[in-house]
């Protein structure tokens, strides 16, 4: 999970969502109260669940560690094959806009000639 969260694409997307969420809460008082209540509910459920799940996780720890190692190697390979994962969302959007503009311009030129 940490390795996925540290991918530039994922972390920049999370930052964008977090900023939008905070801005929305700040701009809309009614939504803020709903969001605050939801956050408290999620926190309570998480705390209650953590104590129940802890014994199960201790039992499954060797299996989780093996799965984590396997997933980590897979993510490394994925990162090599998809360099896009190492780019921030803003850059991907900008690159996509440039590519589309270029293709549209090429199509216009082809049609006009």
């Amino acid at each position: 999970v940490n390795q996925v969260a540290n991918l530039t694409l994922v972390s920049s997307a999370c930052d964008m969502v977090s900023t939008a969420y905070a801005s929305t809460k700040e701009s809309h008082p009614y939504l803020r109260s709903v969001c605050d209540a939801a956050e408290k509910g999620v926190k309570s459920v998480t705390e209650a669940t953590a104590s129940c799940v802890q014994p199960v996780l201790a039992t499954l720890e060797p299996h989780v560690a093996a799965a984590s190692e396997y997933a980590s190697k897979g993510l490394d390979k994925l990162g090599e094959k998809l360099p896009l994962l190492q780019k921030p969302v803003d850059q991907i959007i900008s690159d996509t806009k440039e590519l589309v503009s270029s293709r549209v311009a090429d199509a216009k030129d082809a049609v006009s000639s």
Side-chain angles (χ1 to χ4, degrees), residues 66-78:
S68 179
E69 184 177 335
Y70 183 72
S72 178
K73 289 177 183 176
L75 282 170
D76 288 341
K77 287 183 181 180
L78 190 62

Side-chain angles (χ1 to χ4, degrees), residues 40-58:
K40 288 177 185 174
V42 168
K43 185 176 178 182
S44 297
V45 169
T46 302
E47 290 170 354
T49 304
S51 61
C52 297
V53 172
Q54 198 60 33
V56 175
L57 288 178

Side-chain angles (χ1 to χ4, degrees), residues 13-89:
C14 288
D15 289 345
M16 288 179 75
V17 169
S18 178
T19 300
Y21 178 75
S23 174
T24 300
K25 277 180 63 174
E26 196 63 34
S27 302
H28 305 285
Y30 295 119
L31 280 177
R32 181 178 343 152
S33 61
V34 171
C35 291
D36 289 343
E39 289 170 16
K40 288 177 185 174
V42 168
K43 185 176 178 182
S44 297
V45 169
T46 302
E47 290 170 354
T49 304
S51 61
C52 297
V53 172
Q54 198 60 33
V56 175
L57 288 178
T59 305
L60 295 175
E61 186 175 356
H63 303 294
V64 171
S68 179
E69 184 177 335
Y70 183 72
S72 178
K73 289 177 183 176
L75 282 170
D76 288 341
K77 287 183 181 180
L78 190 62
E80 292 170 9
K81 294 185 186 287
L82 293 173
L84 181 76
L85 295 174
Q86 301 305 325
K87 292 182 179 182
V89 172

